[in-house]
Amino acid sequence: MSKQFDVVVIGGGPGGYIAAIRAAQLGFQVACIDEWKNAAGGPAPGGTCTNVGCIPSKALLQSSEHFDHANHHFADHGISAMDVTMDVAKMLARKDNVVKQNNDGILYLLKKNKVTFFHGRGSFVKTTLAGHEINVAGKAEEVITGKHIIIATGSNARALPGTPFDEVNVLSNDGALQIGKVGGTVPKKLALIGSGVIGLEMGSVWRRLGAEVTILEGLPTFLGAVDEQIAKEAKKAFDKQGLKIELGVKVGDIVNGKKGVTVNYTNAKGEAVVLDADKLIISIGRVANTMGLNPEAIGLQLDERGAIVVDGDCKTNVAGVWAVGDVVRGPMLAHKAEEEGVAVAERIAGQHGHVNFNTIPWVIYTSPEIAWVGRTEQQLKADGVAYKAGTFPFLANGRARALGDTTGMVKFLADATTDEILGVHMVGPQVSELISEAVVAMEFKASAEDIARICHAHPSLSEATKEAALAVDKRTLNF
Ligand code: FAD
Ligand code: NAI
């Protein structure tokens, strides 16, 4: 007789471990299976996000930003820092320690919430009257049964056909976070394919540390999903930092040699270009991961891209089987995965879990940071919505001046008739934190005037948010 659980979660990333905790809070007997191994072969829950995504990338962004400030901005404050050097090995060790703290924190949380953790790979065996049988292949092998299964198996980096990742020269996000592990040096020349979120964040890290960075982007527009005005402002800042971003390229042959990588491509003018680099990061999106899950055993439906097909409630085509996070449709973001995990646990408990896709924030942690929620100006135009726009530059914000970072702006888009906020777009210092106010406002269906009438602390960057809301009604006070 296999161990019986009310809920079995397959995958311990932000979608999975949060679903497991919420289900346990709701009184269910819960198991969570995750196969990620740390360097010693032990469990490392937290998924892509904790191990090779959100957390380690932000650790490296922070270290490289300190280095950049010491080199380029301390002098403005009267601080002289001579011969600033970067110990790459130490930076990577710090990052690994940040990851470990998060892994350990998640193991603690699972234990605290009485979730039974299994370290190994979960795969479907069959459906019985008692539920769905899952084989767990870890150090030992055992079968467990869940009345409800939540699949949260995440995603993997998409490779370019014919150019497999070797994580030595041709790197996915995994290798991109380990550059310098061997030899402790910063690559002289770094090439990236794809100027999306990973391309810009990882490109920024290594550019700040001194690499010559070239990002090759297939599309003719820069950050097409971002509000055009904001993307333009960000591009100006990246150009100034020496991030070389080539748009509208067609990548051809890639040769992975002993000394580095050669990328042959055609640029936007149709010219053939040969780019030599020490390392190549391929950041062209991610694909849903159902590897080893054996979905056929229960007749689970996948779409043509390999993602698990779910309805608006994250229900699959098999009764009692749910799926959340990167393995299903929608934005591949940790907080989206978490929200879906919570909602599914609550639906299993007969509650009305809800995820509002219109108010999921996006943040790109470059410098300047880029953050947005809701619709862009180009989307409103395409949708034929009459809107009013208001912008406020950080140049006119006292706190930004005191910080020494006045790049960028806050932009509000509000309905022309009702004044309801339809989108808020930001580029500038710490906008990853500022965007939350806009998310809350949109959740409560606030108008631009609501934000404009709320008292914001002075001096704070958040005053730029209030001023942009005032700008919708053409009555900024400080610009
Ligand atoms: P995952 O985090 O991928 O977790 C899936 C887990 O399931 C993994 O541990 C995997 O080992 C395990 N698993 C898979 N199959 C099985 C199986 N059969 N049995 C047992 N275990 C299995 N998002 C943000 O919101 N903010 C960011 O700043 C951010 N930065 C990122 C930076 C990088 C470099 C990358 C690559 C991604 C980043 N993301 C970020 C995206 C974010 O990491 C994902 O959206 C998020 O991790 C998805 O969560 P998930 O739970 O669906 O899947
Ligand atoms: P992405 O979808 O953000 O960007 C991929 C880019 O590659 C696009 O601009 C695309 O046009 C381009 N591209 C695709 N094929 C190409 C080709 N053959 N040649 C040249 N360019 C090509 O994907 P990315 O950067 O790999 O990140 C994956 C996902 O991970 C993100 O979409 C996001 O969901 C998540 N993520 C989130 C972060 C955050 O929230 N801060 C940070 C990093 C990743």
Side-chain angles (χ1 to χ4, degrees):
M1 172 83 177
S2 70
K3 277 185 202 143
Q4 176 80 42
F5 293 90
D6 299 318
V7 179
V8 173
V9 183
I10 308 177
Y17 89 81
I18 289 290
I21 289 175
R22 184 70 189 117
Q25 285 175 345
L26 290 161
F28 293 116
Q29 291 290 325
V30 184
C32 179
I33 311 166
D34 189 79
E35 65 178 343
W36 207 294
K37 288 185 183 142
N38 61 25
T48 301
C49 173
T50 302
N51 292 294
V52 290
C54 325
I55 301 299
S57 60
K58 267 79 251 178
L60 294 188
L61 279 157
Q62 191 60 55
S63 299
S64 61
E65 191 166 2
H66 283 320
F67 183 68
D68 185 65
H69 279 198
N71 276 317
H72 301 293
H73 303 293
F74 274 13
D76 300 341
H77 297 262
I79 306 167
S80 54
M82 316 282 268
D83 301 327
V84 178
T85 57
M86 170 54 89
D87 181 339
V88 174
K90 197 161 178 184
M91 174 185 78
L92 295 177
R94 175 188 174 273
K95 179 255 310 173
D96 290 343
N97 192 38
V98 172
V99 168
K100 186 175 180 313
Q101 285 170 17
N102 280 275
N103 294 144
D104 292 348
I106 294 165
L107 282 172
Y108 162 78
L109 288 172
L110 292 174
K111 205 168 162 193
K112 181 183 149 202
N113 285 283
K114 301 192 172 51
V115 173
T116 308
F117 180 74
F118 291 86
H119 189 211
R121 172 169 288 188
S123 54
F124 285 102
V125 180
K126 62 176 187 291
T127 303
T128 66
L129 284 177
H132 303 282
E133 280 186 6
I134 309 290
N135 183 63
V136 185
K139 268 193 190 142
E141 208 151 324
E142 66 180 302
V143 174
I144 62 176
T145 304
K147 274 190 221 137
H148 288 270
I149 309 292
I150 304 176
I151 304 168
T153 47
S155 64
N156 291 318
R158 184 152 81 87
L160 267 178
T163 309
F165 298 117
D166 65 4
E167 305 299 1
V168 177
N169 289 338
V170 178
L171 313 173
S172 69
N173 56 295
D174 195 349
L177 292 157
Q178 307 283 354
I179 295 177
K181 191 141 193 153
V182 180
T185 52
V186 173
K188 213 165 158 309
K189 291 185 173 183
L190 175 67
L192 296 97
I193 300 179
S195 73
V197 199
I198 294 180
L200 292 172
E201 290 187 355
M202 289 296 101
S204 294
V205 166
W206 298 103
R207 173 72 201 121
R208 290 170 192 168
L209 298 182
E212 198 180 298
V213 175
T214 308
I215 310 182
L216 304 176
E217 168 59 47
L219 291 177
T221 40
F222 178 61
L223 285 180
V226 175
D227 187 88
E228 239 172 71
Q229 197 178 357
I230 299 292
K232 248 191 206 154
E233 192 72 13
K235 178 77 168 40
K236 264 199 283 179
F238 298 145
D239 288 347
K240 236 163 109 187
Q241 291 162 17
L243 263 186
K244 196 169 163 215
I245 302 166
E246 280 216 45
L247 301 173
V249 310
K250 195 169 175 344
V251 174
D253 276 356
I254 296 175
V255 183
N256 184 357
K258 274 205 179 109
K259 286 198 171 153
V261 189
T262 303
V263 183
N264 295 279
Y265 68 94
T266 311
N267 68 16
K269 291 183 207 147
E271 298 157 345
V273 184
V274 179
L275 176 68
D276 289 316
D278 302 305
K279 305 273 178 199
L280 169 69
I281 298 173
I282 298 182
S283 46
I284 56 168
R286 296 179 64 79
V287 285
N289 171 34
T290 54
M291 215 171 51
L293 190 63
N294 198 21
E296 307 81 25
I298 56 161
L300 190 68
Q301 194 189 347
L302 308 186
D303 69 15
E304 60 292 348
R305 292 169 307 119
I308 295 175
V309 176
V310 287
D311 67 8
D313 286 345
C314 291
K315 274 186 189 147
T316 70
N317 65 313
V318 181
V321 179
W322 311 71
V324 301
D326 280 12
V327 77
V328 304
R329 82 286 173 265
M332 289 186 169
L333 294 172
H335 41 284
K336 175 263 192 185
E338 290 182 16
E339 292 301 311
E340 286 184 333
V342 167
V344 164
E346 291 177 351
R347 285 170 197 142
I348 291 173
Q351 299 182 1
H352 300 281
H354 178 64
V355 181
N356 183 356
F357 274 80
N358 297 322
T359 54
I360 293 176
W362 275 85
V363 177
I364 308 179
Y365 295 81
T366 43
S367 178
E369 292 183 341
I370 303 166
W372 72 97
V373 58
R375 280 184 281 177
T376 62
E377 196 164 349
Q378 57 268 27
Q379 278 171 334
L380 292 176
K381 278 185 184 148
D383 294 348
V385 177
Y387 64 91
K388 299 176 285 183
T391 58
F392 187 81
F394 282 107
L395 198 65
N397 174 273
R399 183 78 197 280
R401 282 198 213 109
L403 284 175
D405 189 354
T406 54
T407 318
M409 68 179 91
V410 176
K411 173 172 179 173
F412 265 67
L413 297 167
D415 188 282
T417 315
T418 64
D419 197 38
E420 183 182 338
I421 303 166
L422 302 174
V424 179
H425 306 272
M426 304 177 169
V427 55
Q430 296 172 33
V431 298
S432 55
E433 300 296 333
L434 297 189
I435 199 66
S436 292
E437 181 181 4
V439 176
V440 173
M442 287 184 66
E443 270 294 337
F444 284 90
K445 299 209 164 289
S447 63
E449 188 185 354
D450 287 328
I451 298 294
R453 286 190 180 278
I454 290 171
C455 181
H456 288 66
H458 176 77
S460 71
L461 296 171
S462 71
E463 287 173 293
T465 308
K466 176 188 170 107
E467 289 274 8
L470 279 166
V472 170
D473 198 30
K474 298 195 175 31
R475 55 187 185 96
T476 52
L477 297 164
N478 284 287
F479 189 60

